[in-house]
Amino acid sequence: MPLRMSVEDQKVNPWRCEGMADYPHPSRTTPHVINQHFDLKCAIPAPHARIDAAMYRKRWYGWEKVATGSADKRNTARLRAVTPWKCPQGQRDRFYGIGLFRVEGGGKTWSARVYNENETHIVCS
């Protein structure tokens, strides 16, 4: 189940935008890639929307940033950023990703952070 912006975050922006992050997962289209999607959906097109995202994998010493992604668009109700990481086949890792969602208009900026994490290992296939 994707994690979403809180109801309070959605209420404060006039375009009623919602940010979501799915779980990191093996790509369905590209072999040896782990993806995570960060989606912004607005009820009304926002004057300017941006997503900056990063994906991390668990290492013995902590979390290592392995991929980043961003998307930026004007006058849009939908936006997606993807964090693809090319992984060695058969490698097992845990991942988490975090996205910063921003919508701007009328001289104001609304933002929220959304993250999601796998609690089990993913095998690179």
Side-chain angles (χ1 to χ4, degrees):
M1 170 98 164
L3 290 182
R4 301 171 186 268
M5 278 184 201
S6 72
V7 172
E8 290 306 311
D9 289 330
Q10 294 173 45
K11 286 180 183 176
V12 298
N13 73 73
W15 307 283
R16 297 188 312 276
C17 297
E18 177 180 48
M20 295 163 282
D22 68 359
Y23 288 111
H25 58 276
S27 172
R28 294 169 193 64
T29 58
T30 309
H32 316 305
V33 170
I34 303 296
N35 279 333
Q36 188 170 12
H37 303 118
F38 298 85
D39 292 301
L40 181 72
K41 295 179 183 175
C42 304
I44 301 165
H48 183 212
R50 181 169 179 88
I51 305 169
D52 291 298
M55 187 170 62
Y56 299 80
R57 73 178 176 137
K58 182 73 172 167
R59 305 282 291 186
W60 64 270
Y61 52 81
W63 291 96
E64 172 190 26
K65 185 188 288 187
V66 294
T68 60
S70 64
D72 190 299
K73 196 170 182 183
R74 298 196 178 280
N75 301 314
T76 188
R78 297 192 184 278
L79 191 61
R80 172 174 271 189
V82 181
T83 55
W85 180 60
K86 186 158 179 63
C87 54
Q89 185 173 6
Q91 184 166 317
R92 294 170 29 98
D93 286 299
R94 282 187 52 212
F95 295 88
Y96 92 88
I98 186 164
L100 173 61
F101 295 80
R102 289 190 296 265
V103 289
E104 301 171 343
K108 293 186 178 181
T109 300
W110 289 265
S111 65
R113 291 186 194 278
V114 178
Y115 71 93
N116 212 343
E117 174 181 350
N118 284 84
E119 294 185 10
T120 59
H121 287 86
I122 297 174
V123 177
C124 183
S125 54

